[in-house]
Amino acid sequence: MPEIRNMTMNFGPQHPAAHGVLRLVLEMDGEVIERADPHIGLLHRATEKLAESKPYNQSIGYMDRLDYVSMMCNEHAYVLAIEKLLGITPPVRARYIRVMFDEITRVLNHLMWLGAHGLDIGAMSMFLYCFREREDLMDCYEAVSGTRMHATYYRPGGVYRDLPAEMPRYQETSNRSRAEVKKLNEKRQGSLLDFIAAFVERFPGCIDEYETLLTDNRIWKQRTVGIGVVPPERAIELGFTGPMLRGSGVEWDLRRKQPYEVYDQLDFAIPVGVNGDCYDRYLVRVEEMRQSTAIISQCVDWLRDNPGPVIIDDHKLVPPQRETMKDDMESLIHHFKLFTEGYCVPEGEVYAAVEHPKGEFGIYLVSDGANKPYRLKVRAPGFVHLSSLDEMVQGHMLADVVAMIGTQDIVFGEIDR
Amino acid sequence: MDTLLNDLRERLGAKIVRDKLETGQLTIEVKAADITEVCLVLRDDEALAFNQLSDLCGLDYLSYGKADWETRDTTRTGFSRGVSQGVYIDTPDIEDRFAVVYHLLSLKHNRRLRVRSFVSGQPPKIASVTPIWAGANWFEREAFDLFGILFDGHPDLRRILTDYGFRGHPFRKDFPLEGNVEVRYDPEEGRVVYQPVSIKNRVLVPKTIRQDNRYTGSGESRGG
């Protein structure tokens, strides 16, 4: 009789279903997985160390590049940490804008997740539908910050600038005819808020479309129901947060439990799962998109009625208006000091966490009173979730690994940092 | 938060070396030798019930409070120039250089707690909390990788973020920002080779410490 041995298989780092640069070493007994050893760090850029060498504001852009599909939420945790140490509170309009963009980001993230997760386990068309809607939300990013992804829009003390009164429009070019441009610009006649309001009205219908394709789909359910079950107690022990924890039936959401910004004044529900499997986590995330839409809509209404400042009026922290720099010595000095040296944050330490689309995204900031962080630690939800992959996949088939990676909503920017 | 501190004092007593409340967040400091005992109480006591470890990280206090640019005292020649390369000399014997910081969360009471423990020794060593919170596994691997802190009793203490065969602990303050080695493809040898780094670190903005009393309401010095 021949000797039977377990087979060790390498998965990734160049694998389309690895969601980036995950290398998995799988120990297989036939097609059943006995042990999974994720090798991470292939995208390690030492963001935390880089932040130690730069003034506070220069690291906001690095935050976008952590979880590069939910950019503004990363920034949010970082600026919250700085604000807590400085003891400042942004104006209420800035807080509404932040909440609105956090939720836009959540929808962006969940759309990316749904598309990629669907693609991984056989629902090819989901990817196309999800990316269609993502396009509009990216346009919102572009309208406020000038970039479609890495916005660097949040600042300690508020947001960089107010919402534009006009949505940017397409221009006629040699390869884009007038009729085409007119059609593209139909949705862009009003302000950014009008554009978002139109999206919010349309989007629940889109979610219904996704659900028609997936929720009762036999193949989808065969791939996700009963796969990767995590009991609630175990989920807490492993450090799960966000939809991974709520999918197991634990009602825990920082927006509700430890509200920041204006979440305590908004009306929304926290969906939870029952079985803690991939299917329940799918349902939780889809419902979260609906809830986010409701939050965005409430923010749009409030922002329409309440104009006001969007960043604190303190030029020790926030650069003065460019016009005033031309004839006001004080403004010129403030501007010069801010952009050459930055501001010093008082000595102390703080942990600020936000309910990121993937879970609890925390920033632990230690300051020794300098103009640069002494130590910055990013608590990335994906890092914790991926560490449990070994436990989740044991006893499952090889094909389920892909479902598991998908359900964890892994992005390597934040895991490797 | 006061009730939390009272609860902690009642149960841990003299094990709390120091405690501090800042920006509404409580930090307690415990001795490295006590960490397992303290963490078990924190997790299992009904009134505390810190059932989740949110975060665990290493910290290197080597250059704490040291600025590149003297701004408080002027000399006859004026302010000092910010010319430091941002690298500090490795002084392993320094007392209280490394610390491990635990961020705990109690889902039951909706409270957070930060626990800090200074680790000493060469290499610095502390008991692992992986048996207490399963989620600590990768966090401890990371702290080992980046700071070289050993976690006694960890099931699988390997490097996690750095390259295969990496040398040194990059987040220590004496590790240069640009690193020690770089890789390139060597066409003669037909493979990727490692060589000493060819770039130099430029400090664009020197680290400056200024006391701006407007914002000092929330922070105090580390010693309390």
Side-chain angles (χ1 to χ4, degrees), chain B residues 25 53 77 88-89 100 109 132 158 160 167 184 210:
Chain B
Q25 300 177 355
L53 178 81
T77 50
Y88 295 85
I89 293 156
V100 178
H109 302 297
I132 303 171
R158 280 179 293 153
I160 186 164
R167 283 191 196 163
R184 76 177 165 89
R210 287 182 200 279

Side-chain angles (χ1 to χ4, degrees), chain A residues 140-160:
Chain A
C140 299
Y141 260 54
E142 193 179 5
V144 290
S145 73
T147 70
R148 292 161 60 76
M149 290 190 77
H150 302 304
T152 328
Y153 179 55
Y154 294 2
R155 295 296 147 92
V159 294
Y160 175 57

Side-chain angles (χ1 to χ4, degrees), chain A residues 111-127:
Chain A
L111 281 175
M112 175 81 199
W113 164 81
L114 184 60
H117 187 36
L119 187 68
D120 283 348
I121 53 179
M124 189 80 163
S125 42
M126 284 315 299
F127 198 70

Side-chain angles (χ1 to χ4, degrees), chain A residues 19-34:
Chain A
H19 285 218
V21 285
L22 169 65
R23 181 178 169 217
L24 272 179
V25 178
L26 301 167
E27 207 178 297
M28 319 270 304
D29 176 14
E31 210 170 323
V32 178
I33 289 151
E34 302 245 295

Side-chain angles (χ1 to χ4, degrees), chain A residues 320 323-337:
Chain A
E323 300 94 78
T324 62
M325 275 166 50
K326 308 293 180 194
D327 50 28
D328 180 15
M329 192 61 172
E330 192 89 337
S331 296
L332 191 67
I333 296 169
H334 276 137
H335 184 272
F336 178 75
K337 283 308 274 181

Side-chain angles (χ1 to χ4, degrees), chain A residues 373-400:
Chain A
Y374 184 75
R375 168 91 166 104
L376 178 76
K377 171 70 176 33
V378 178
R379 190 264 182 212
F383 184 81
V384 188
H385 295 155
L386 187 64
S387 72
S388 72
L389 188 75
D390 179 33
E391 190 173 318
M392 278 176 79
V393 298
Q394 272 171 25
H396 282 295
M397 310 285 267
L398 176 60
D400 296 328

